[in-house]
Amino acid sequence: MLSAGNEGSDEIYMTKELVEGDTQLSTVMETFTSNDSDVDIWSRGSSPLTITYKIYNREVDTIVACTRPIAADTIINFSQDPVMSPYISGNVTVTHELNPVNNKYHIYLNHNAVPKYKKYLAFTINGSAGDVIDVWDSSSSSYFSDANLEGYMRGTTVVTVSDIATGHHSISVGAYAGREKYPTNTMNYSTGYKMFDMARFSSYGTDINGVQHPFITSPGVQVVSAVSIYNCSTTTYSQRESTGSGYDYWYVKSGTSMAAPCVTGIVAQWLQACPSLTIDQVKDVMAATAIQRGEMSEKSGPNGNIDAYAGIQMILAKYVKIKGDVNADGVVDIADVNILINIILGNDDPLNYGDRAFVTGRDIVDIADVNATLNIILNIE
């Protein structure tokens, strides 16, 4: 289980198909004040790309400086560039590759630069007609903006899912509101959500393999959780006095990092019931038993909210075979005997119960199966 990410409301993704006469993708990194930001640029083809850096001046609403197109691995020192240095300090590292796995052209930008007052770093990706470009900004302090400039693009939120959650054997987890109020000491505060609303921050999107994320969702808004006494600050965490000496420490936190552990705990319980479950079987159970509340959206993923109880019922019925448990409710009792009797009397069909009705392992249900089940109930067998 992996967190889908908390960038679901951030405009950090862009895509564009380049055509004849329009072979550039330009954008402005608005609110770029951090000295640590990464931008990932992928072409869906193998044609080389170049980058041109620019400075957008908010005071005059125009581009006031730019570099030459950058085609090779390099470190650009803005502080030593006579054109750029009046507007920005620091540097950017540009690396590129033709990915050996998928033969796609890839550029990675690592910024260690700070624009001056009301100046923003912008860039243009230069490609070839027929290229399709995908761009992601990993910084929580910036987003892609068109700045109302002709030919510039604004980012969207539609592919904000974390790439680490998109592995073939991963289960991506989004967050919804499992409560409307949360406690802090003696007070209750509003979460700002209605029950079961998807969290605004919860990341989502369709990955390169066409898989929609998040795969499943669980509570991730203002979740109450324990915290170690050795990692507890009264300014960061809520605390309550315990009945014994000292304090019991706990905190209230939102994020898909709270939703994913919830799903992990549920799956751990499922594995207690059936330790042989594979990842594909777990995903099948999640998808088949998830609750779809209200109008489903991209943000809620293809399946909806995890249902722990319905999941364990399906596992017991489909994957766990307890001898004598004809109705697959997890126990052997008189209800199973009654089903067997109804089958013998012709009032029920053994096929309704898979092979569970054939308690003695034969291809017929008769009094021997009833006796075997009664022996199980009486602990004789």
Side-chain angles (χ1 to χ4, degrees):
M1 268 54 67
L2 290 169
S3 305
N6 300 326
E7 290 73 43
S9 59
D10 298 341
E11 296 170 323
I12 59 172
Y13 170 70
M14 297 182 298
T15 186
K16 182 177 180 179
E17 182 177 0
L18 308 185
V19 297
E20 290 291 345
D22 185 10
T23 57
Q24 295 182 331
L25 186 160
S26 299
T27 193
V28 177
M29 297 181 70
E30 288 270 18
T31 69
F32 183 63
T33 57
S34 171
N35 63 357
D36 183 14
S37 172
D38 298 327
V39 174
D40 223 6
I41 303 168
W42 285 88
S43 171
R44 299 187 195 179
S46 58
S47 300
L49 305 173
T50 63
I51 301 294
T52 303
Y53 273 101
K54 305 175 181 181
I55 296 295
Y56 169 67
N57 187 337
R58 172 65 75 187
E59 293 176 300
V60 294
D61 287 329
T62 190
I63 299 296
V64 294
C66 67
T67 68
R68 59 177 174 79
I70 302 157
D73 294 347
T74 187
I75 297 177
I76 306 169
N77 192 331
F78 293 129
S79 301
Q80 295 179 2
D81 186 321
V83 175
M84 303 290 281
S85 59
Y87 310 104
I88 189 170
S89 60
N91 58 66
V92 59
T93 302
V94 181
T95 57
H96 78 287
E97 67 169 348
L98 184 61
N99 189 277
V101 176
N102 54 27
N103 201 39
K104 295 179 179 180
Y105 199 85
H106 176 216
I107 294 181
Y108 186 75
L109 309 176
N110 176 251
H111 302 102
N112 187 15
V114 180
K116 298 180 181 179
Y117 179 68
K118 287 195 174 181
K119 312 301 187 296
Y120 297 95
L121 193 61
F123 61 82
T124 293
I125 303 168
N126 311 288
S128 304
D131 288 343
V132 178
I133 310 298
D134 296 288
V135 188
W136 287 270
D137 178 7
S138 69
S139 173
S140 60
S141 64
S142 62
Y143 63 93
F144 296 130
S145 169
D146 59 11
N148 294 318
L149 296 174
E150 185 178 356
Y152 280 66
M153 286 191 66
R154 187 177 189 89
T156 72
T157 66
V158 297
V159 187
T160 53
V161 62
S162 171
D163 56 355
I164 64 172
T166 61
H168 294 298
H169 302 292
S170 303
I171 297 176
S172 56
V173 183
Y176 69 84
R179 63 195 324 150
E180 296 185 3
K181 295 183 181 295
Y182 67 96
T184 300
N185 291 326
T186 59
M187 301 290 291
N188 281 322
Y189 294 92
S190 172
T191 64
Y193 290 90
K194 294 181 179 179
M195 281 288 289
F196 309 120
D197 281 351
M198 282 299 300
R200 290 180 286 273
F201 58 77
S202 189
S203 293
Y204 65 103
T206 301
D207 68 23
I208 195 169
N209 298 307
V211 178
Q212 188 180 350
H213 299 275
F215 184 82
I216 202 74
T217 64
S218 72
V221 173
Q222 301 296 1
V223 176
V224 180
S225 177
V227 63
S228 168
I229 190 174
Y230 299 105
N231 185 31
C232 187
S233 165
T234 56
T235 60
T236 304
Y237 303 109
S238 304
Q239 61 180 17
R240 61 182 173 83
E241 208 168 336
S242 69
T243 55
S245 59
Y247 290 91
D248 290 334
Y249 291 89
W250 55 284
Y251 67 177
V252 181
K253 191 173 181 65
S254 294
T256 56
S257 289
M258 302 303 284
C262 176
V263 176
T264 300
I266 290 170
V267 173
Q269 291 182 315
W270 290 355
L271 289 170
Q272 282 187 304
C274 185
S276 64
L277 284 174
T278 67
I279 181 67
D280 289 334
Q281 289 170 337
V282 168
K283 293 173 78 170
D284 286 345
V285 171
M286 283 184 183
T289 61
I291 303 171
Q292 298 188 357
R293 293 184 169 96
E295 184 177 348
M296 297 288 286
S297 67
E298 285 186 292
K299 185 166 281 193
S300 57
N303 298 312
N305 307 154
I306 192 167
D307 189 327
Y309 182 63
I312 196 69
Q313 285 183 309
M314 178 176 172
I315 290 165
L316 291 173
K318 187 172 181 178
Y319 299 110
V320 179
K321 293 181 174 63
I322 302 172
K323 185 177 180 181
D325 183 17
V326 182
N327 59 6
D329 63 355
V331 295
V332 182
D333 55 20
I334 196 64
D336 301 296
V337 174
N338 290 336
I339 292 172
L340 293 172
I341 292 173
N342 280 321
I343 291 173
I344 294 170
L345 294 175
N347 298 326
D348 204 344
D349 188 342
L351 297 180
N352 292 334
Y353 307 95
D355 60 357
R356 297 187 303 276
F358 303 97
V359 181
T360 58
R362 298 167 304 133
D363 59 359
I364 187 173
V365 177
D366 59 17
I367 195 63
D369 299 285
V370 174
N371 290 336
T373 305
L374 287 171
N375 286 338
I376 294 170
I377 296 172
L378 296 172
N379 291 320
I380 295 174
E381 181 179 327

